[in-house]
Amino acid sequence: MASDSDVPDAFDAFDASDVFDPRIYADGVPHDAYRALRERWPVAWQEEHEVLGWPTGTGFWAVTRHADVVRVLREPDAYSSYLGATQIRDPDPADLPFIRRMMLNQDPPHHGRLRRLVSRAFTPGRIERFTETARARARELLAGALDAGPETDLVRAVTDDYALLNLTDLLGVPASDRGLLLAWTERVIAYQDPDEPPVLDDLGRPVNPRSPAMLAEMFAYAQQLAAYKRRNPGDDVMSVLAGSELRPVELEMFFFLLTVAGNDTVRSAAPGGLLALARHPDERRRLWSGEVALDRAVEELLRVHPPVLSFRRTATRDTELAGRRIAAGDKVVVFHASANHDERVFADPHRLDLARHPNPHVSFGEGPHVCLGAHFARLQLRVLHEEARHTLGDLELTAPPRRLVSNFVNGLKSLPVRLRARSGSPHGDRGISGAGG
């Protein structure tokens, strides 16, 4: 644990800069608090207080500057994913061996073996073959949103289905089972949100959604699907994994990782990008007119709205970071959204600049754990924004978005907008008339 001399006093800790409490994020990413920490305490001790029924924890170091975040993520020998896993809350000690089976919660060299096995399924060729399917799906969902009327919730009408259906196509999950993947994802991702009440144990305590008991149903399904794919292989990721050298427990963990991370990365980033475009009409017009390249625009939208807010590591030894002494066993949590707005790296970081270059954001991580599905996610986002450019003539917020209560996932639960179809698109005349300008 951190020594008393290294825990900041009340003045230095700025009472207003708690970046742990999940409820803070319901009002938006706390950029003012991040900025204060970057300027005065870039590695800051945070109390892990009781909140929303979850008990107190040991506390952790919040890392908010870009260079320090990159250092932590690139040095698994000093900052481990394995020792305490990658969530801020400590898992039940009895569950830790189980949680460590997942690639996300391993360190090199064991992590590298699993990553190599799974990367065979994420070949550029396989992912590119999904491009036209994703394009047709984006076009269909956007058209449906326009047909439903000028005012709609883009999360419900477009982005949730877009992310989920693309993932199930890639995995090879039958259409009839897609609802299961959504339910499992929400159980894991939204566990801090009051709209998704936690499952309680016999003593009335919340049960970690990543515990063996909570994942048993998903794992049983993964084994059933793998058995089916061995008999009936297809051009999908589960067919590759089912025929690989993965042990059964490893296959289960990969199915969990792909289902949750593969779905929620795009499910969070897609509406976040559309929200940024709605709030910055001048930049949106630059993109939709073709003045800005789509690939660069996607990177900037990922910078301002990273799908993941934080990841935890555990110090393997006594070390030092940004002048702070870190003790072996301390929790060290990197904050991606803060690093992406570090004035030392990004000029005018709170300005949306869709042509920004270079753009070394850390929205997909860094180091050995850089997101395995980043190429797939970028492809989906590029296609969605390309089809929005072809289909939509206007995009205007009609009410504040509703955000997920989470210090982990940068999610939107609703994005209410007024849409107008692009002139010359199949919906052009009807959309312009219905929107009333």
Side-chain angles (χ1 to χ4, degrees), residues 112-127 129 235-237 240-241 243-246 372:
R113 167 190 165 267
L114 291 175
R115 190 177 178 96
R116 284 190 296 274
L117 285 174
V118 176
S119 65
R120 298 172 188 171
F122 280 89
T123 61
R126 172 169 285 113
I127 293 174
R129 284 193 289 275
D235 184 21
D236 56 68
V237 168
V240 175
L241 297 183
S244 72
E245 305 165 25
L246 291 173
L372 186 64

Side-chain angles (χ1 to χ4, degrees), residues 14 19 31 56 62 76 147 166 177 179 201 204 213 244-245 256 267 269 282 339 398:
F14 337 85
V19 293
H31 285 297
T56 58
D147 284 340
N166 286 340
D177 295 341
D201 64 16
S244 72
E245 305 165 25
F256 166 83
R267 191 178 176 215
D282 290 343
T398 58

Side-chain angles (χ1 to χ4, degrees), residues 118-175:
V118 176
S119 65
R120 298 172 188 171
F122 280 89
T123 61
R126 172 169 285 113
I127 293 174
E128 290 296 341
R129 284 193 289 275
F130 281 87
T131 302
E132 291 312 310
T133 300
R135 187 177 307 283
R137 177 164 293 129
R139 190 176 299 145
E140 178 184 358
L141 290 168
L142 289 165
L146 285 166
D147 284 340
E151 295 191 10
T152 188
D153 175 3
L154 280 182
V155 170
R156 183 180 297 273
V158 178
T159 58
D160 267 5
D161 282 347
Y162 181 70
L164 177 65
L165 297 176
N166 286 340
L167 174 70
T168 53
D169 279 350
L170 186 72
L171 286 177
V173 171

Side-chain angles (χ1 to χ4, degrees), residues 265-326:
T265 297
V266 175
R267 191 178 176 215
S268 300
L274 292 168
L275 171 62
L277 294 179
R279 284 177 167 166
H280 298 85
D282 290 343
E283 285 299 291
R284 183 177 74 244
R285 283 190 284 270
R286 291 179 70 203
L287 176 61
W288 287 1
S289 69
E291 180 184 340
V292 176
L294 271 164
D295 287 349
R296 282 196 183 176
V298 166
E299 296 307 310
E300 177 70 347
L301 294 172
L302 281 165
R303 181 187 74 84
V304 301
H305 190 98
V308 174
L309 292 162
S310 65
F311 260 116
R312 173 251 183 104
R313 299 292 190 263
T314 304
T316 62
R317 59 178 183 262
D318 292 349
T319 185
E320 185 175 297
L321 186 65
R324 305 304 298 170
R325 289 180 293 162
I326 310 294

Side-chain angles (χ1 to χ4, degrees), residues 142-143 146-147 284-291 385-395 418-435:
L142 289 165
L146 285 166
D147 284 340
R284 183 177 74 244
R285 283 190 284 270
R286 291 179 70 203
L287 176 61
W288 287 1
S289 69
E291 180 184 340
H385 288 296
E386 190 170 19
E387 290 307 311
R389 182 176 69 180
H390 293 327
T391 304
L392 302 180
D394 203 4
L395 175 64
R418 181 177 294 109
L419 300 177
R420 186 175 66 188
R422 185 181 181 91
S423 179
S425 76
H427 291 74
D429 295 336
R430 182 164 65 250
I432 294 172
S433 172

Side-chain angles (χ1 to χ4, degrees), residues 41-53:
W41 214 274
V43 178
W45 186 255
Q46 295 276 303
E47 297 297 332
E48 200 176 333
H49 49 80
E50 184 278 332
V51 61
L52 298 171

Side-chain angles (χ1 to χ4, degrees), residues 161-400:
D161 282 347
Y162 181 70
L164 177 65
L165 297 176
N166 286 340
L167 174 70
T168 53
D169 279 350
L170 186 72
L171 286 177
V173 171
S176 59
D177 295 341
R178 286 167 174 165
L180 291 172
L181 269 64
L182 179 60
W184 291 328
T185 298
E186 290 183 336
R187 181 186 300 171
V188 171
I189 292 300
Y191 76 97
Q192 295 173 320
D193 195 300
D195 287 348
E196 298 288 335
V199 176
L200 304 179
D201 64 16
D202 294 339
L203 299 177
R205 300 170 302 188
V207 178
N208 190 319
R210 293 169 176 80
S211 66
M214 294 292 284
L215 296 177
E217 181 185 21
M218 182 192 293
F219 286 176
Y221 178 86
Q223 293 296 351
Q224 293 169 5
L225 182 61
Y228 175 81
K229 294 296 182 181
R230 292 185 189 103
R231 298 190 303 269
N232 305 278
D235 184 21
D236 56 68
V237 168
M238 276 303 288
S239 291
V240 175
L241 297 183
S244 72
E245 305 165 25
L246 291 173
R247 298 189 295 270
V249 294
E250 293 172 337
L251 185 142
E252 292 169 356
M253 282 297 190
F254 270 118
F255 185 78
F256 166 83
L257 183 61
L258 295 172
T259 295
V260 175
N263 182 17
D264 224 69
T265 297
V266 175
R267 191 178 176 215
S268 300
L274 292 168
L275 171 62
L277 294 179
R279 284 177 167 166
H280 298 85
D282 290 343
E283 285 299 291
R284 183 177 74 244
R285 283 190 284 270
R286 291 179 70 203
L287 176 61
W288 287 1
S289 69
E291 180 184 340
V292 176
L294 271 164
D295 287 349
R296 282 196 183 176
V298 166
E299 296 307 310
E300 177 70 347
L301 294 172
L302 281 165
R303 181 187 74 84
V304 301
H305 190 98
V308 174
L309 292 162
S310 65
F311 260 116
R312 173 251 183 104
R313 299 292 190 263
T314 304
T316 62
R317 59 178 183 262
D318 292 349
T319 185
E320 185 175 297
L321 186 65
R324 305 304 298 170
R325 289 180 293 162
I326 310 294
D330 279 1
K331 291 192 279 191
V332 178
V333 178
V334 298
F335 284 82
H336 300 263
S338 176
N340 284 356
H341 289 79
D342 189 342
E343 299 82 356
R344 295 152 193 80
V345 177
F346 303 97
D348 199 0
H350 294 280
R351 179 173 66 89
L352 182 72
D353 177 6
L354 295 181
R356 187 183 295 272
H357 185 77
N359 195 344
H361 65 77
V362 292
S363 297
F364 288 130
E366 267 287 344
H369 280 284
V370 68
C371 178
L372 186 64
H375 179 69
F376 182 48
R378 286 185 166 102
L379 182 153
Q380 293 177 78
L381 295 170
R382 176 173 54 80
V383 166
L384 178 63
H385 288 296
E386 190 170 19
E387 290 307 311
R389 182 176 69 180
H390 293 327
T391 304
L392 302 180
D394 203 4
L395 175 64
E396 177 188 353
L397 278 177
T398 58

